[in-house]
């Protein structure tokens, strides 16, 4: 296992733990809502908010590490539990898109979602389509970690 893979594995452990704490905080909040007093409720809410923030930050770091590994190696699966998928990003002038849509009698105002669907299906000279890497994290990191330990 490369150093990069080991670092990603360690960050997976951080995200898995953050998710466990987030789930635990949500469970505590749900259990406590029926019996709480004002100050206890605010404490539970604060813990839940903090758990969500920590989980979000840890996940963002893992996504950044995954993208860095992808850019370095070109591998869409730099480590178990994470992967990179290429998503299409469209760049166009909305005014030109509206003119085009009105000319084709498709719209009186631009519906970006519908326009982008059309632009992906038919090449338009004023639309640039770029594939952008996007990191994804497995939903069940505990299973990924268990699988990694067994290997």
């Amino acid at each position: 296992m490369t150093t990069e893979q080991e670092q990603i594995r360690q960050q997976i452990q951080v995200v898995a733990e953050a998710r466990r704490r987030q789930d635990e905080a949500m469970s505590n909040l749900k259990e406590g809502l029926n019996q709480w007093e004002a100050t206890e409720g605010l404490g539970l809410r604060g813990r839940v908010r903090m758990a969500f923030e920590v989980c979000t930050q840890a996940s963002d770091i893992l996504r950044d590490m995954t993208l860095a590994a992808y850019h370095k190696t070109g591998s869409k699966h730099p480590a178990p539990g994470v992967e990179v998928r290429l998503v299409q990003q469209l760049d166009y002038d909305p005014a030109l898109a509206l003119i085009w849509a009105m000319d084709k009698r498709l719209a009186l105002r631009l519906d970006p979602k519908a326009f982008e669907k059309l632009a992906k299906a038919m090449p338009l000279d004023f639309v640039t389509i770029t594939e952008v890497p996007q990191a994804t994290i497995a939903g069940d990191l505990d299973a990924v970690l268990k699988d990694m330990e067994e290997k």
Side-chain angles (χ1 to χ4, degrees), residues 8-22:
I8 290 174
R9 183 179 189 276
Q10 289 172 357
Q11 189 62 26
I12 286 172
Q13 290 173 328
V14 169
V15 173
E17 178 63 24
R19 285 181 179 177
R20 282 191 291 275
R21 288 182 186 203
Q22 177 179 309

Side-chain angles (χ1 to χ4, degrees), residues 91-108:
D91 183 40
Y92 58 90
D93 181 343
L96 288 175
L98 178 58
I99 291 168
W100 176 86
M102 290 173 70
D103 183 53
K104 301 294 183 196
R105 299 186 186 270
L106 296 174
L108 295 176

